């Protein structure tokens, strides 16, 4: 049995149970949000996934699981591709739920990139970018399609690119590597966010950070600079949380994989 095969087997034994259990509890919240806002089709899909996950959680037996739900969960157990897809769905839901809660509380954070960074670290560039883009689509839908959220999916994609490339080049294995990754992510997010908010929205998007941006604009007389510097302290906190969680999960998974 090769190292990769042992890694995937350990992933199924240890990480898969954690992923689907977390997906089930998080999706309970997202289902209520989708139903209240009238997105019945997405609510139906989410509820169907809940049933599949609940069946697995109650069964814990692969053969029995395939008999109960031979569709999606059978494909998940059949190969790593479907495990990656389910993990991506979970990551998008987590990002969307956390970001929606932060918006509701008017906390000056984003909390929309934890799942993106984790997926990029574990599964690579393309899944990470996909999660980053889809996250903002979900948040846009949950907020009633205001049109001010989805363009920032490019920022999430930037986070995925940085983390995936650092992992690919073997620069995410130590605390120092994680700190360097964190600082690059902060810089990339601040630059991309400033460009989007300045040239797409004129400097404001209706979030609490706008107050800081406007105050800096009055001092600097430059909207791109104001938007950039307003995002530095927020991203230092926000991406600090995301990269720390990602690093911890990354190390744990590789220890589990032997």
């Amino acid at each position: 049995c090769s190292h990769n095969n042992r890694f995937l087997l350990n992933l199924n034994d240890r990480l898969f149970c954690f992923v689907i259990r977390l997906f089930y509890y998080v999706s309970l919240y997202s289902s209520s949000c989708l139903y209240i806002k009238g997105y019945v089709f997405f609510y139906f899909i989410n509820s169907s996934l809940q049933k599949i996950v609940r069946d697995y959680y109650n069964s814990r037996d692969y053969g029995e699981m395939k008999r109960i739900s031979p569709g999606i969960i059978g494909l998940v157990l059949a190969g790593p591709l479907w495990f990656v897809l389910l993990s991506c769905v979970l990551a998008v839901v987590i990002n969307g739920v956390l970001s929606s809660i932060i918006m509701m509380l008017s906390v000056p954070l984003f909390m929309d990139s934890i799942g993106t960074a984790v997926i990029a670290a574990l599964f690579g560039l393309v899944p990470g970018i996909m999660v980053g883009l889809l996250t903002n689509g979900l948040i846009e839908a949950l907020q009633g399609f205001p049109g001010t959220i989805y363009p920032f999916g490019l920022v999430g994609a930037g986070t995925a690119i940085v983390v995936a490339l650092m992992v690919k080049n073997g620069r995410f294995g130590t605390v120092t590597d994680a700190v360097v990754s964190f600082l690059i992510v902060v810089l990339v997010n601040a630059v991309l966010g400033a460009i989007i908010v300045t040239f797409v929205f004129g400097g404001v998007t209706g979030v609490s950070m706008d107050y800081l941006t406007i105050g800096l604009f009055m001092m600097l007389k430059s909207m791109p600079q104001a938007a950039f510097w307003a995002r530095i302290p927020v991203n230092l906190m926000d991406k600090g949380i995301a990269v720390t969680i990602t690093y911890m999960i990354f190390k744990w998974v590789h220890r589990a994989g032997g």
Side-chain angles (χ1 to χ4, degrees), residues 43-80:
Y43 168 77
F44 173 76
I45 293 176
N46 201 48
S47 297
S48 298
L49 287 173
Q50 280 186 35
K51 180 182 183 301
I52 292 170
V53 172
R54 185 172 61 248
D55 287 345
Y56 174 81
Y57 183 71
N58 291 333
S59 169
R60 294 297 297 276
D61 178 79
Y62 285 6
E64 179 68 9
M65 189 63 249
K66 291 179 180 179
R67 185 187 69 79
I68 296 175
S69 299
I72 293 178
I73 202 68
L75 293 172
V76 169
L77 297 175

Side-chain angles (χ1 to χ4, degrees), residues 32-208:
S32 62
C33 292
L34 291 167
Y35 185 78
I36 291 172
K37 290 180 177 293
Y39 302 123
V40 179
F41 175 71
F42 294 106
Y43 168 77
F44 173 76
I45 293 176
N46 201 48
S47 297
S48 298
L49 287 173
Q50 280 186 35
K51 180 182 183 301
I52 292 170
V53 172
R54 185 172 61 248
D55 287 345
Y56 174 81
Y57 183 71
N58 291 333
S59 169
R60 294 297 297 276
D61 178 79
Y62 285 6
E64 179 68 9
M65 189 63 249
K66 291 179 180 179
R67 185 187 69 79
I68 296 175
S69 299
I72 293 178
I73 202 68
L75 293 172
V76 169
L77 297 175
L81 173 61
W82 291 98
F83 176 75
V84 173
L85 292 177
L86 181 61
S87 299
C88 288
V89 171
L90 170 64
V92 171
V93 172
I94 289 176
N95 286 346
V97 169
L98 289 177
S99 181
S100 297
I101 293 174
I102 289 297
M103 288 182 179
M104 181 178 62
L105 298 176
S106 297
V107 177
L109 291 173
F110 302 114
M111 297 302 291
D112 59 355
S113 58
I114 294 175
T116 304
V118 170
I119 292 298
L122 295 181
F123 302 121
L125 185 63
V126 174
I129 292 176
M130 181 176 68
V131 170
L133 296 175
L134 291 177
T135 289
N136 285 71
L138 175 61
I139 300 172
E140 184 83 34
L142 291 175
Q143 297 299 316
F145 298 99
T148 59
I149 299 172
Y150 189 71
F152 290 96
L154 294 175
V155 180
T159 297
I161 291 171
V162 172
V163 174
L165 291 180
M166 293 295 286
V167 171
K168 182 179 180 181
N169 289 282
R171 299 302 304 273
F172 204 72
T174 66
V175 173
T176 301
D177 291 337
V179 171
V180 173
S181 301
F182 154 65
L183 293 175
I184 297 174
V185 167
V186 169
L187 181 61
V188 169
N189 274 254
V191 170
L192 291 177
I195 291 173
I196 293 171
V197 78
T198 299
F199 297 104
V200 178
F201 301 109
V204 295
T205 56
V207 297
S208 56

Side-chain angles (χ1 to χ4, degrees), residues 98 102 107 109-115 117-118 182 186 234-249:
L98 289 177
I102 289 297
V107 177
L109 291 173
F110 302 114
M111 297 302 291
D112 59 355
S113 58
I114 294 175
V118 170
F182 154 65
V186 169
V234 175
N235 277 298
L236 284 171
M237 293 186 289
D238 188 80
K239 300 309 178 287
I241 296 171
V243 174
T244 298
I245 293 174
T246 299
Y247 176 73
M248 293 172 64
I249 293 177

